[in-house]
Amino acid sequence: MSETAARALAQMFERMSGVIETEKDHLSELDGAIGDGDHGITMSIGFKAVTAALAALDLDSASPSDVMSTAAGGFLDAVGASTGPLYATGFRRAAQALAGRGHLDLAACRDMLAAMSEGIRDRGKAQRGDKTMLDVWMPAAEAAATAVANGRSKPEFWKAVEIAAENGAAATATMVATKGRAARLRERSLGHTDPGAASAAMLIKAMAAML
Amino acid sequence: MSETAARALAQMFERMSGVIETEKDHLSELDGAIGDGDHGITMSIGFKAVTAALAALDLDSASPSDVMSTAAGGFLDAVGASTGPLYATGFRRAAQALAGRGHLDLAACRDMLAAMSEGIRDRGKAQRGDKTMLDVWMPAAEAAATAVANGRSKPEFWKAVEIAAENGAAATATMVATKGRAARLRERSLGHTDPGAASAAMLIKAMAAML
Amino acid sequence: VKKFLNNPNDVVEEMLDGLIASHRSYLQPVGTSRRALVARNGPRPGKVGLVIGGGTGHEPCFVGYVGKGLADAVALGNIFSSPPPDPIVKCAVAASGGAGVLFVYGNYAGDVMNFEMAAELAEEQGIPIRTVLTTDDIVSSPVEDREGRRGVAGNFFVFKVAGAACDLGMTLGECETVTRKANDRTYTVGVALESCSMPQTRRHNFEIGPDDMELGMGIHGEPGVSRERVRTADEIVDTIMDNIFKEMKAEPGDRVAVLVNSFGATPLMELYILYRRVEQRLAAKNIEIEANWVGHYCTSLDMVGASISILHLDRQLTELLHHPCRTAILTINAPEADGAAKS
Amino acid sequence: VKKFLNNPNDVVEEMLDGLIASHRSYLQPVGTSRRALVARNGPRPGKVGLVIGGGTGHEPCFVGYVGKGLADAVALGNIFSSPPPDPIVKCAVAASGGAGVLFVYGNYAGDVMNFEMAAELAEEQGIPIRTVLTTDDIVSSPVEDREGRRGVAGNFFVFKVAGAACDLGMTLGECETVTRKANDRTYTVGVALESCSMPQTRRHNFEIGPDDMELGMGIHGEPGVSRERVRTADEIVDTIMDNIFKEMKAEPGDRVAVLVNSFGATPLMELYILYRRVEQRLAAKNIEIEANWVGHYCTSLDMVGASISILHLDRQLTELLHHPCRTAILTINAPEADGAAKS
Ligand SMILES: Nc1ncnc2c1ncn2[C@@H]1O[C@H](COP(=O)(O)OP(=O)(O)O)[C@@H](O)[C@H]1O
Ligand SMILES: Nc1ncnc2c1ncn2[C@@H]1O[C@H](COP(=O)(O)OP(=O)(O)O)[C@@H](O)[C@H]1O
Ligand SMILES: [Mg+2]
Ligand SMILES: [Mg+2]
Ligand SMILES: [Mg+2]
Ligand SMILES: [Mg+2]
């Protein structure tokens, strides 16, 4: 089963890369309004690097954890920026959470989401409500935990996670940024969706579709 | 009578300055199409300097020749460019042509126009048909000579001069520039009126109105 | 927006080709990494190494400040993006002369995270690292939150002082201290008339109305702190200088260095008009200009705009400012003739 | 088009205020005339004086090339307008060290008339004058009409060679000869993506279509020689280099100096991308780059565009190129430390 799980994760990253490619310009536009206009470009470069790194990986022998740590390295070396350390740390923590696991059952998915969200939080030292990607990853991870605790089915699990992510992204428009570039805009950031939150919701949608 | 002639010339320069001021943007636009877009600005600075220099002149004691040479100096020191040496030389030659004359009769006006046109030709080494201001000053000077030879009245004289100037300016649109900045455009200068020719026709119109 | 480009996705790599070729006499890649460039004539045993860096799109920043007497190595990211830790670590290793390495870079979330990760990795390799974040953009955050401010064109002065301190053989701690002082005494305010455009989109990052300007504009095309009606050059300088005077505790007779910097598309003619007014305002307070630079020193692609930076000098900073250096875009009291015709 | 300006009619005077203040350590006005500026450290008895000049709007040209080892004096006109004879004569007098004065300026009708009038006046005062017109814009006129071409950014090389020749104590005739050679061996082609706009009008001098570029663009916003579809950076450089190779008789192993110049609004990032291809094209012919400059050296207000100039070196020109000089924007093998912190 281990190959299948690794393969599923690799396909998930390909889906993520595809979605980002489609939404690249939209993400850069969101970033242009309150940041420096490169978020779509950065994410596109990053996920292309991830799929390139994964293409070099032998998915027959690799574990899910290997896939995540390969993704972390590929992403970080390709982009830097804010997203590089944030997602690289998130993926690395996910790799740790998946270490020794061959199955991507709902518990594994829950732990992966929790690890992602904690990794991003620890690296960026942001809090909920700071108008960042964390406002998507944290509620998504919480929704996953609740769904598992309540014994939800797989479709219900991912539906709940997706909705939490989308609500989180939408809510950033009502927040005043206090972290990242947008923080300098203070009140002027109101009314704009955070680009990192928007892309995070897209990534989670891709996860839901592939896992 | 000498004061009156000097005053008439000074008023002519004021009229010229006024006309240039009004047409400044139009002249720069013409220059933008085939030159460097500054002709209106240059002429405006030049004629403002002329009227400033003339304001410092005692017109009660100055001769017509004094007025013209003061205008020459004022114009040249203020603008440089192509028009500076061309008009300064023209005005200086006109000053020579008017030397010792107190009256601005038609013969004096004819000689003044001839001197202007020769001065501009000698300084710029252009020929008729080169698509420059000379394509206005030369036919105007010739029309003046013919009018005097034919014993025309003052209104007829100036009408003939004005028409020759206007036709000359219009004709430059059909010429390929071979002198000045526009020369590098070769065939691409076709269809555009030469800015220096356009302003020359305006100056001659101002002369006709004031002398 | 039209640009001289091939495939927009290759823009950074192609720029690096040109830049490395053009400045070959000053710097070279560290190994095979073209994102880590080291001064040919920089690092030496016993000297604290100076590593600077950040995103591209700010040329001649940061690469123009690498050379003898200034930075020893530079790490470059994508456009407006911090470099990842890897090239930064390579720079630290290349710059290290056994006396530690000083990191100086602008205070941006991305740069901080990547440089911090790099610092940890370098220290694991036994290279002591100290860091000074540049925070000269005084309108980017209120004075109570000085450390929250971002670094903009004033990093020119901070780099210069740091480079001189390192070149003079000061210890890592001393280099850090004086660099921090230079940053604390550097005040910048920028104004944009038009936003920049990324090579990939060729559209303005955001639109500034036809009669408006953006005060406090960042150097990454981030919006500034307020949108205002365009005013005259003198009024704009007055607003900037009033902001600076509010923070800079300068007495009559004090000396400053001045940088009037184009964000990219604003030409020198306009910068001189701004400089004229800066000088008038300083003269009115009896503050003397020890040195000035007017030109393109830290740009934001093709942004239309300019910034004014003032370094409030003291005796030590004055000496460090005049210390010789020779880089691709800055030669001060040229350290030595080297036979190469270079600007 | 938005600009940093006060009253547009004062733009030249205000720029001169800023410029004279900023470059005080290099130059000063001749008497009370601010349109004639003389190097502090330039003219000396027995040395041929070098006078350059032209209209403003090309900054750092021409004022950035005044100083020790380069031009002794510069005469400045209004925007894109030759200076009148008076300041040129003042420059000649100020630059004269008894060995004659060399005038070097671009071949434009206005400049020729004004400098010729000035030369006559200076000779009346007993100062022998020789003149070299720069004509490096190879697309501005066919090769049969070489003397009809205009001078553009390549005057950078011609000034440099002339300044070195004068500084080395060559006679007026020798200075003229070698300067003429430098001009004959300098080849420039420019391309504009957008026209410039005058401070007084704040409109583009003319419009270039959204997908078009202007090949052979002049440095005064004059239209170029042909309107073409915008192509990639590499294709543009190829067109330019093909034009240059058609005229430059370079053999494998020959050496050149390269100048990649922004017309104002084009940022360094794009210039480096152009330089990359210039180097590739030269390398393919086994032509070596002895020295290069990439940046803002001769602009046209806020024009979007760039030019490439190649100086085909020989032994004498190489020596003169490397001869020390120190001006506001160009320091080569710095002649002497002078204690002033200046870029
Ligand atoms: N400290 C942080 N913690 C979490 N997320 C952050 C932090 N700083 C920035 N971000 C996220 O990064 C996004 C911007 O990413 P990107 O544009 O790629 O990087 P950069 O800001 O370096 O240009 C923001 O929209 C925000 O969601
Ligand atoms: N050699 C010349 N002889 C006569 N007129 C000339 C000559 N060269 C240029 N001109 C005139 O000068 C005009 C341009 O003047 P202006 O724009 O003020 O100067 P510049 O060309 O220096 O910018 C042209 O339209 C042309 O009529
Ligand atoms: Mg961004
Ligand atoms: Mg003109
Ligand atoms: Mg960025
Ligand atoms: Mg002109």
Side-chain angles (χ1 to χ4, degrees):
Chain A
M1 266 311 275
S2 161
E3 322 89 86
T4 321
R7 249 180 231 293
L9 280 178
Q11 278 158 10
M12 170 194 85
F13 278 115
E14 248 169 58
R15 173 80 161 227
M16 286 175 165
S17 182
V19 172
I20 293 293
E21 217 48 43
T22 317
E23 297 293 331
K24 186 158 90 167
D25 285 353
H26 172 58
L27 292 173
S28 288
E29 237 165 73
L30 289 178
D31 198 26
I34 58 170
D36 59 352
D38 63 355
H39 186 62
I41 297 162
T42 301
M43 293 294 279
S44 153
I45 296 173
F47 279 94
K48 275 189 194 159
V50 167
T51 52
L54 292 179
L57 197 69
D58 178 2
L59 290 174
D60 292 330
S61 61
S63 70
S65 177
D66 292 340
V67 172
M68 290 312 280
S69 58
T70 302
F75 198 91
L76 185 59
D77 285 348
V79 301
S82 304
T83 24
L86 293 167
Y87 276 118
T89 309
F91 295 157
R92 220 166 260 158
R93 290 286 185 84
Q96 288 159 12
L98 294 180
R101 303 213 209 187
H103 267 302
L104 285 182
D105 54 19
L106 291 188
C109 289
R110 172 201 59 194
D111 294 349
M112 186 167 73
L113 284 165
M116 285 285 302
S117 134
E118 279 157 29
I120 290 168
R121 191 197 54 202
D122 290 355
R123 175 60 63 195
K125 302 185 187 84
Q127 297 181 333
R128 231 162 133 159
D130 279 353
K131 195 180 179 108
T132 71
M133 57 172 76
L134 210 56
D135 291 309
V136 169
W137 287 104
M138 281 184 68
E142 285 166 12
T146 311
V148 171
N150 295 344
R152 298 287 179 228
S153 69
K154 190 167 155 178
E156 286 169 339
F157 171 97
W158 283 114
K159 193 81 224 150
V161 169
E162 243 187 278
I163 288 175
E166 268 162 27
N167 289 344
T172 61
T174 68
M175 299 173 185
V176 172
T178 59
K179 276 280 179 308
R181 286 178 204 288
R184 275 84 183 217
L185 277 176
R186 292 184 283 271
E187 283 65 34
R188 290 176 80 196
S189 67
L190 266 173
H192 296 279
T193 302
D194 177 66
S199 63
M202 292 169 192
L203 298 180
I204 287 170
K205 210 168 164 187
M207 287 177 112
M210 303 304 289
L211 297 185
Chain B
M1 263 313 273
S2 160
E3 321 90 85
T4 322
R7 247 178 234 295
L9 281 177
Q11 278 158 11
M12 171 193 86
F13 278 114
E14 249 168 59
R15 173 81 161 227
M16 287 174 164
S17 181
V19 173
I20 293 293
E21 217 49 42
T22 317
E23 297 294 330
K24 186 159 90 169
D25 285 354
H26 172 58
L27 292 172
S28 290
E29 238 166 72
L30 289 178
D31 198 26
I34 58 170
D36 59 352
D38 63 356
H39 186 62
I41 297 161
T42 302
M43 294 293 279
S44 154
I45 296 174
F47 278 95
K48 274 189 195 158
V50 166
T51 52
L54 292 179
L57 197 68
D58 178 3
L59 291 174
D60 291 331
S61 60
S63 69
S65 178
D66 292 340
V67 171
M68 290 311 284
S69 57
T70 302
F75 197 92
L76 185 59
D77 285 347
V79 300
S82 303
T83 24
L86 292 168
Y87 275 119
T89 309
F91 295 157
R92 222 166 258 159
R93 290 287 184 83
Q96 287 160 12
L98 294 180
R101 301 211 210 189
H103 268 303
L104 285 182
D105 54 18
L106 291 189
C109 289
R110 172 201 61 196
D111 293 349
M112 185 167 74
L113 284 165
M116 285 285 303
S117 133
E118 280 157 28
I120 290 169
R121 192 197 56 203
D122 290 354
R123 176 60 64 195
K125 302 188 187 84
Q127 297 181 333
R128 232 163 132 160
D130 279 353
K131 193 179 181 108
T132 70
M133 58 172 77
L134 210 57
D135 291 309
V136 169
W137 287 104
M138 281 184 67
E142 286 166 12
T146 311
V148 170
N150 296 344
R152 298 287 178 229
S153 70
K154 191 167 153 178
E156 286 169 341
F157 171 97
W158 283 114
K159 193 79 227 156
V161 169
E162 245 187 275
I163 288 174
E166 269 162 26
N167 289 343
T172 61
T174 68
M175 299 173 186
V176 172
T178 60
K179 275 282 179 308
R181 287 179 203 288
R184 274 84 182 215
L185 278 175
R186 293 183 283 271
E187 284 64 33
R188 291 176 80 197
S189 66
L190 266 175
H192 295 280
T193 302
D194 178 66
S199 63
M202 293 169 192
L203 298 180
I204 286 170
K205 210 168 164 188
M207 286 178 115
M210 302 305 289
L211 298 182
Chain C
V1 182
K2 289 182 270 181
K3 293 171 184 288
F4 292 106
L5 290 178
N6 298 305
N7 182 339
N9 294 328
D10 300 334
V11 62
V12 176
E13 288 305 319
E14 292 190 349
M15 175 183 75
L16 288 174
D17 285 340
L19 184 158
I20 292 167
S22 168
H23 299 318
R24 200 168 274 149
S25 62
Y26 296 101
L27 47 80
Q28 60 192 336
V30 178
T32 56
S33 164
R34 288 141 39 89
R35 302 301 186 106
L37 305 173
V38 59
R40 285 186 186 277
N41 209 357
R44 59 173 198 264
K47 183 181 99 66
V48 171
L50 175 61
V51 172
I52 62 175
T56 42
H58 306 298
E59 294 65 37
C61 214
F62 302 88
V63 76
Y65 303 115
V66 179
K68 171 74 182 152
L70 234 158
D72 294 297
V74 62
L76 297 173
N78 293 324
I79 299 181
F80 295 168
S81 291
S82 168
D86 178 66
I88 305 174
V89 173
K90 289 204 169 83
C91 283
V93 172
S96 168
V101 168
L102 184 65
F103 285 0
V104 184
Y105 58 90
N107 182 29
Y108 296 91
D111 296 87
V112 171
M113 288 187 277
N114 286 284
F115 275 87
E116 276 183 359
M117 289 174 84
E120 286 164 26
L121 293 166
E123 297 215 307
E124 281 170 20
Q125 298 189 34
I127 303 174
I129 304 286
R130 295 285 177 86
T131 293
V132 177
L133 297 176
T134 65
T135 57
D136 56 302
D137 186 349
I138 60 170
V139 291
S140 63
S141 224
V143 69
E144 310 82 62
D145 180 35
R146 281 203 69 151
E147 315 81 71
R149 291 177 176 171
R150 61 191 170 204
V152 288
N155 52 26
F156 173 90
F157 291 128
V158 186
F159 294 159
K160 177 66 190 77
V161 166
C166 294
D167 197 43
L168 283 167
M170 293 187 186
T171 66
L172 182 56
E174 289 165 350
C175 290
E176 182 194 349
T177 304
V178 70
T179 303
R180 211 171 282 289
K181 176 166 78 173
N183 179 61
D184 286 345
R185 294 170 70 105
T186 300
Y187 308 85
T188 302
V189 180
V191 168
L193 303 179
E194 299 291 354
S195 165
C196 60
S197 57
M198 306 286 276
Q200 285 91 343
T201 63
R202 303 200 198 190
R203 273 192 319 269
H204 282 148
N205 271 16
F206 61 96
E207 291 303 329
I208 302 178
D211 300 313
D212 292 342
M213 64 182 202
E214 185 83 20
L215 185 73
M217 185 82 181
I219 53 167
H220 302 85
E222 311 98 323
V225 292
S226 62
R227 185 72 50 99
E228 309 192 0
R229 305 293 285 181
V230 182
R231 281 167 287 150
T232 65
D234 284 357
E235 286 167 340
I236 291 170
V237 173
D238 285 347
T239 302
I240 292 175
M241 293 307 292
D242 288 345
N243 269 291
I244 291 176
F245 287 140
K246 233 180 277 162
E247 295 212 6
M248 181 171 75
K249 305 271 164 293
E251 306 284 320
D254 280 5
R255 302 178 83 78
V256 296
V258 175
L259 174 72
V260 178
N261 171 58
S262 169
F263 281 154
T266 289
L268 265 175
M269 169 172 276
E270 294 168 47
L271 300 184
Y272 284 125
I273 291 175
L274 298 175
Y275 181 74
R276 166 183 174 274
R277 186 68 180 173
V278 173
E279 226 222 356
Q280 290 176 352
R281 291 298 310 269
L282 289 167
K285 287 198 183 294
N286 241 307
I287 300 171
E288 283 202 53
I289 300 179
E290 172 78 18
N292 76 86
W293 287 268
V294 177
H296 297 73
Y297 289 95
C298 183
T299 62
S300 186
L301 297 172
D302 53 1
M303 202 194 300
V304 183
S307 65
I308 293 168
S309 303
I310 309 279
L311 168 61
H312 186 189
L313 292 165
D314 63 10
R315 186 184 308 251
Q316 186 188 28
L317 293 174
T318 305
E319 265 167 36
L320 294 171
L321 189 68
H322 290 305
H323 182 76
C325 73
R326 183 198 276 282
T327 73
I329 68 134
L330 190 67
T331 299
I332 293 180
N333 297 320
E336 69 230 25
D338 62 14
K342 277 283 161 181
S343 68
Chain D
V1 182
K2 288 182 270 181
K3 294 172 184 284
F4 292 107
L5 289 178
N6 298 305
N7 182 339
N9 294 326
D10 300 335
V11 62
V12 177
E13 288 305 319
E14 292 191 349
M15 174 184 75
L16 289 174
D17 285 341
L19 184 159
I20 292 168
S22 168
H23 300 319
R24 200 168 275 148
S25 61
Y26 295 101
L27 47 79
Q28 59 191 337
V30 178
T32 56
S33 164
R34 288 140 40 88
R35 302 300 185 104
L37 305 173
V38 60
R40 285 186 186 278
N41 210 357
R44 60 174 197 264
K47 184 180 100 65
V48 171
L50 175 61
V51 172
I52 62 175
T56 41
H58 307 299
E59 294 68 35
C61 215
F62 301 89
V63 75
Y65 304 114
V66 179
K68 172 73 182 153
L70 235 159
D72 295 296
V74 61
L76 297 173
N78 292 325
I79 298 181
F80 294 168
S81 291
S82 166
D86 178 66
I88 305 173
V89 173
K90 288 203 170 81
C91 283
V93 172
S96 167
V101 168
L102 185 65
F103 284 0
V104 184
Y105 57 91
N107 181 29
Y108 296 91
D111 295 87
V112 171
M113 289 189 275
N114 286 284
F115 274 86
E116 277 183 357
M117 289 175 83
E120 287 163 26
L121 292 167
E123 297 215 305
E124 280 170 22
Q125 297 189 36
I127 303 174
I129 304 286
R130 294 286 176 86
T131 293
V132 177
L133 297 176
T134 66
T135 56
D136 55 303
D137 185 348
I138 61 169
V139 290
S140 63
S141 227
V143 68
E144 310 82 61
D145 180 36
R146 282 203 68 153
E147 315 81 68
R149 292 176 175 173
R150 59 192 171 202
V152 288
N155 51 27
F156 172 91
F157 291 129
V158 186
F159 294 160
K160 176 67 190 77
V161 166
C166 294
D167 198 42
L168 284 167
M170 293 187 185
T171 65
L172 182 55
E174 290 164 350
C175 290
E176 182 194 347
T177 304
V178 70
T179 303
R180 210 172 283 290
K181 176 167 78 173
N183 178 62
D184 287 345
R185 294 171 71 106
T186 300
Y187 307 86
T188 303
V189 180
V191 168
L193 303 179
E194 299 290 354
S195 164
C196 60
S197 58
M198 306 286 276
Q200 285 92 343
T201 63
R202 302 200 199 191
R203 273 194 317 271
H204 283 148
N205 271 16
F206 62 96
E207 291 303 330
I208 301 178
D211 301 314
D212 292 342
M213 64 182 200
E214 185 83 19
L215 185 74
M217 184 82 179
I219 54 165
H220 301 87
E222 311 98 322
V225 292
S226 62
R227 184 73 49 98
E228 310 191 359
R229 307 292 285 180
V230 181
R231 282 167 287 151
T232 66
D234 284 357
E235 287 168 338
I236 291 171
V237 173
D238 285 348
T239 303
I240 292 175
M241 293 306 292
D242 289 344
N243 268 289
I244 292 177
F245 286 140
K246 231 179 279 163
E247 295 214 4
M248 181 171 76
K249 306 270 164 293
E251 307 283 321
D254 280 5
R255 300 179 85 78
V256 297
V258 175
L259 174 72
V260 178
N261 171 59
S262 170
F263 281 154
T266 289
L268 265 174
M269 169 171 277
E270 295 168 46
L271 300 183
Y272 285 125
I273 291 174
L274 299 175
Y275 181 74
R276 166 183 174 274
R277 186 68 180 171
V278 173
E279 226 223 356
Q280 290 176 350
R281 290 299 308 270
L282 289 167
K285 287 197 182 292
N286 242 306
I287 300 171
E288 284 204 52
I289 299 178
E290 171 79 17
N292 75 85
W293 287 269
V294 177
H296 297 73
Y297 290 95
C298 183
T299 62
S300 188
L301 295 172
D302 52 1
M303 201 194 300
V304 182
S307 64
I308 293 168
S309 303
I310 309 279
L311 168 60
H312 185 189
L313 292 164
D314 63 9
R315 186 185 307 250
Q316 186 188 30
L317 293 174
T318 305
E319 264 167 37
L320 294 171
L321 188 68
H322 290 306
H323 183 75
C325 72
R326 183 198 276 283
T327 74
I329 68 137
L330 190 67
T331 299
I332 293 181
N333 296 321
E336 68 229 29
D338 61 15
K342 277 285 160 179
S343 68

